[in-house]
Every structure is written in C-alpha cells, then in structure tokens.
Amino acid sequence: MIKTVPQHPPMTQFPVKGNNLTVGGIELTRLAARVGKTPFYAYDRQLITDRITELRRQMPDELKIHYAMKANPMPAVVQHMAALVDGFDLASAGEMKVALDTPMSAENISMAGPGKRPQELMQAVAAGVTINIESFHELETIASVSGQSGIQAQVAVRINPAFELKASGMKMGGGPKQFGIDEELLPEALTRINELNLDFKGFHIYSGSQNLKAEAIIEAQQKSIDLAIKLSDYHPAPIKKLNIGGGYGIPYFPGETPLDTRQVGDALAKAMAKFKAVNPQAEVIIELGRYLVGEAGIYVCQVLDKKISRGQIFLMVNGGLHHHLAASGNFGQVIRKNYPVAIGNKMNKPEKETVNIVGPLCTPLDILADKMDLPAAEIGDLVVIYQSGAYGYTASPHQFLSQPEAEQVLV
Ligand SMILES: *Cc1c(COP(=O)(O)O)cnc(C)c1O
C-alpha cells in the first residue's frame, strides 16, 4: 500500500450532475467542447456574485469593498466585478487600462505597488485615480508629472506600519519593506505632500495576504484604524479614504478552515465607529482579491498518458505549472501541498486509486497532485483543480517549455 497524504474534505461550490462537475450550470465535458480545447480556466460568475453578496451581509454597512485586480485581471471578470464592488485596486498601468474600460469611476480606483514608472504615474494622474505613494522619490515624481501636465494628482500614502499581520501567508507590512513609507516618516511625508499641493485623500495600510485567522485580521484592522487616528494631527487635509487592506484567505489544504468573516465584520463595525467619531467624512475601505474570486474558479486539464512506475500510478496531463504555478506548489509555498483535485467527468465513480498527477514539463517540479485518492482516471479524462480563481493564469510562467497557452472563460 502507498501511504497517501492527508486528503481534502469534499468541495461543494460547483454542483455535480451525473458524473460531471458543472460550472455555471454547464456540464464539464460540454464546457470543454465549447471552449474547444484543454487546458482552460473556468470562472463561475454566479459564485463571484454570491460571494460578494454574502460578504456584504457580514461586513458593516458603511464599509467599502474594493477588488484587488491582480488576483484575477481577466477583463470579463473585472467587468463583472465593476457592478458588484465599490472600487478597484490596481498595481500597474496595464491593470489600469482594464479597469478604465469598465464603468467603474476613476474616483474609486487606486494604484499601489513599489517601483511605479514615471510614465505610469503620468497615466494615473491623467486618469484621476488615487496613487498610493510608496516612497519619497515617488512623491517627488508625482509632483513633477502633475506640474508638467497641470493636473492635480490624487494621492494617498501607503504606510508601512510598525506592526505585522500575524499568521499571514505573505507579510507585506511591518519591519523593513519595499512597500509603503515607514510609519515613523509619515509626518515628514505629509508635510511634503502639503507643500507640493497634491490632493491628499488618505492612507493605505496593507499588512499581508492569505490569512485564515479572524483574530489576526481583527488585530491588524484595529491597529490600522488606531494608526490612522493617531496620524490625524499631521494631515494636510481631513482624510477622505482609509484603506485598511484585507488579506482574507481561502482554504486550500487539508486541515485549513474558512475564515470566520462574521467575527471579522463584528469587530470591524466597532473599530469603524471609533474611527468615524474622529473622521466622520471618511470612507473606510477593504481591498480583497483572492477572497472574492479564488473559490469561484477551476483549472481543467486532460489526461494524456497513464503509467505505473515502481508501484505508483502516474497520470500525465496536458497542463501544469506553466499555467498554474501555485497548484504545483512553487508560488511561495514552503512545503508542497496538494490543492483540492477532482476527476471532473467521474465525480460519482466510487472506485478510487492513489495517483500522482504530473504536467508535461521536463522538471520534477511540475506536479499537480501527489499521492491523492481519486476516482480511477483514464486517458482523455478531465482533471480539475479547485480554488483556482485567483493567482492562477496570470501568476504562471506560460512561456516555460513553449507549451500551448491555456484558455480562460467566465461562465
Ligand atoms: C496583492 C494585494 C492585494 C490582494 O491580496 P489578496 O490576498 O488576493 O486579497 C490587496 N492589496 C494589495 C496592496 C496587494 O498587493
């Protein structure tokens, strides 16, 4: 017997019809025929809508929810999002183009990211989006492009806080960081913004990503609000926006449990009341990527070959790390763990076998499933990777090994 690794609880967001998983009500084999090829990513628009509706129920009424586009910048997804969220957060002029093609107003779009190019800053100033300033040099560049164009720049300051987000998959604040201006230097930055006559909107504090612990998120949100209150003395103008980040995670691996957003929402309502008492005119914003889209997407590839090597079954598929780096375990994970996987056209087949699913690339890193118990699959069957709506397609090295591209569809 092969020792299997811990197995996932059943995934339930995509209904099953007969032996097929369905996406947007369409059976997977039919969807594959419609797309015309494998591999592809499929995102379910109704699941995205439901997720946001449910989240709004848990969060304080006055809270603004923004979509962080880098999680999934597919134009069709961003269009769909435009009607559901209060704003977009983006990280490049490329993302800005997609955002501005939607009905979302530039007033509700902000741009963050270290190392913004002068050209990109010019475009952002002209578009009228809020630029989250991440360094003193960037501040001066913004003032200079603003002066050249005669368009007043809309700015906020991204703060690198003195605290860190505990239990976060990826820390992006606290300690020495490329992101934001260190909290200690804020009075100086605000004085300079005032001198340069930039239109100051408020603060952006982003402390990390992929967090499943309500207490950790609550603590980070409270500290962010306390910090904004503390900085009230130094503002050149009253704050209009306070973006306190997000970092809400989704479960990927066995043993992980979903974030308790009810608990987060209740605590946030109290913290917001405290903030609003001091800054009644200000919007409080959270920005989420993964949490809004991650569970609404799957990656689908097809079995090309099946063999046994020294007692273990290998399924070779036509997709892999070049399309889905994260599922292969190479996008920031320390120890490789399996994403939830299914055989999408054999959902109700009872006979299971323990398999390794590997991609076509000539590297041992190209693994999609390591010793998982799945229905016995054959050549031509459809392998599904769940939790693939965020950091999939655009977070993967498509050029590696010159394999064909994957498709993307919003269903
Ligand atoms: C990446 C990023 C996000 C989105 O993170 P998720 O974990 O996908 O929610 C939000 N804000 C900023 C500044 C980011 O860099």
Side-chain angles (χ1 to χ4, degrees):
M1 267 304 282
I2 304 152
K3 201 174 157 296
T4 60
V5 297
Q7 305 290 315
H8 297 78
M11 304 297 292
T12 53
Q13 69 267 50
F14 297 95
V16 173
K17 217 184 207 174
N19 274 318
N20 263 282
L21 196 75
T22 63
V23 183
I26 304 175
E27 289 164 58
L28 195 63
T29 42
R30 182 164 177 171
L31 182 62
R34 178 185 120 176
V35 174
K37 69 176 211 187
T38 55
F40 61 88
Y41 280 89
Y43 314 118
D44 187 319
R45 70 175 79 232
Q46 191 60 48
L47 288 183
I48 296 173
T49 304
D50 293 349
R51 168 56 64 111
I52 295 166
T53 308
E54 186 54 31
L55 182 67
R56 285 200 191 274
R57 239 178 251 144
Q58 319 277 335
M59 292 293 133
D61 288 343
E62 290 189 329
L63 180 72
K64 303 289 178 193
I65 298 175
H66 284 201
Y67 176 50
M69 273 179 65
K70 80 171 189 284
N72 186 332
M74 184 198 187
V77 168
V78 180
Q79 282 286 347
H80 181 64
M81 280 290 181
L84 301 171
V85 297
D86 303 303
F88 291 144
D89 289 293
L90 40 87
S92 69
E95 288 186 356
M96 189 175 84
K97 183 184 182 310
V98 174
L100 293 174
D101 281 343
T102 74
M104 184 63 74
S105 147
E107 257 174 58
N108 297 319
I109 299 177
S110 59
M111 179 190 271
K116 302 182 194 76
R117 288 168 286 119
Q119 173 62 32
E120 209 166 23
L121 291 169
M122 179 73 249
Q123 289 174 261
V125 168
V129 311
T130 300
I131 304 169
N132 295 326
I133 301 174
E134 315 238 1
S135 78
F136 281 90
H137 176 71
E138 190 173 283
L139 204 174
E140 298 298 326
T141 311
I142 293 167
S144 131
V145 299
S146 173
Q148 280 160 30
S149 61
I151 306 163
Q152 195 185 26
Q154 322 280 310
V155 300
V157 180
R158 179 166 180 179
I159 306 175
N160 176 24
F163 61 85
E164 293 197 344
L165 177 55
K166 288 178 193 149
S168 170
M170 241 181 257
K171 287 191 188 4
M172 289 173 69
K177 287 281 181 304
Q178 70 266 53
F179 309 107
I181 293 180
D182 294 346
E183 183 182 327
E184 311 80 89
L185 301 175
L186 254 288
E188 195 186 325
L190 294 172
T191 304
R192 193 70 188 129
I193 287 171
N194 205 22
E195 282 166 10
L196 293 168
N197 190 33
L198 305 177
D199 186 1
F200 174 74
K201 299 286 186 194
F203 297 115
H204 176 219
I205 304 167
Y206 187 73
S207 30
S209 179
Q210 180 48 21
N211 204 310
L212 292 169
K213 298 256 177 308
E215 313 78 56
I217 290 177
I218 289 168
E219 188 185 318
Q221 291 183 336
Q222 282 171 346
K223 285 184 170 168
S224 298
I225 283 175
D226 289 344
L227 176 56
I229 292 171
K230 195 175 90 184
L231 288 168
S232 296
D233 295 346
Y234 303 100
H235 306 160
I239 300 191
K240 298 188 193 79
K241 296 176 195 220
L242 174 64
N243 182 333
I244 56 170
Y248 299 14
I250 61 171
Y252 289 96
F253 308 121
E256 290 185 339
T257 46
L259 175 67
D260 184 348
T261 45
R262 163 71 60 197
Q263 208 187 328
V264 173
D266 290 350
L268 188 52
K270 294 195 191 103
M272 268 174 77
K274 199 163 80 170
F275 178 73
K276 290 270 184 185
V278 189
N279 302 275
Q281 71 298 324
E283 285 184 348
V284 178
I285 301 164
I286 56 168
E287 51 177 0
L288 304 174
R290 185 193 315 268
Y291 188 81
L292 303 185
V293 290
E295 303 197 60
I298 56 172
Y299 173 67
V300 183
C301 53
Q302 208 160 5
V303 180
L304 292 172
D305 198 353
K306 179 174 185 175
K307 76 175 183 188
I308 296 175
S309 168
R310 308 228 158 91
Q312 291 195 26
I313 301 170
F314 285 80
L315 300 175
M316 274 68 76
V317 294
N318 63 354
L321 81 72
H322 53 310
H323 299 151
H324 203 332
L325 190 65
S328 77
N330 294 295
F331 190 57
Q333 295 97 324
V334 181
I335 300 163
R336 190 193 176 284
K337 292 182 195 144
N338 293 322
Y339 269 45
V341 175
I343 306 300
N345 58 323
K346 290 195 168 159
M347 295 302 292
N348 286 321
K349 286 270 153 100
E351 60 287 15
K352 293 263 162 63
E353 58 186 20
T354 304
V355 295
N356 301 295
I357 304 179
V358 299
L361 306 189
C362 268
T363 159
L365 299 176
D366 194 7
I367 301 171
L368 292 177
D370 174 40
K371 298 185 201 70
M372 288 185 85
D373 288 338
L374 294 170
E378 302 305 329
I379 291 169
D381 282 343
L382 298 170
V383 170
V384 167
I385 316 280
Y386 292 100
Q387 311 298 74
S388 297
Y391 305 108
Y393 186 85
T394 59
S396 301
H398 290 253
Q399 304 286 310
F400 192 34
L401 272 286
S402 302
Q403 290 278 337
E405 293 264 316
E407 276 302 330
Q408 296 187 93
V409 288
L410 175 64
V411 187

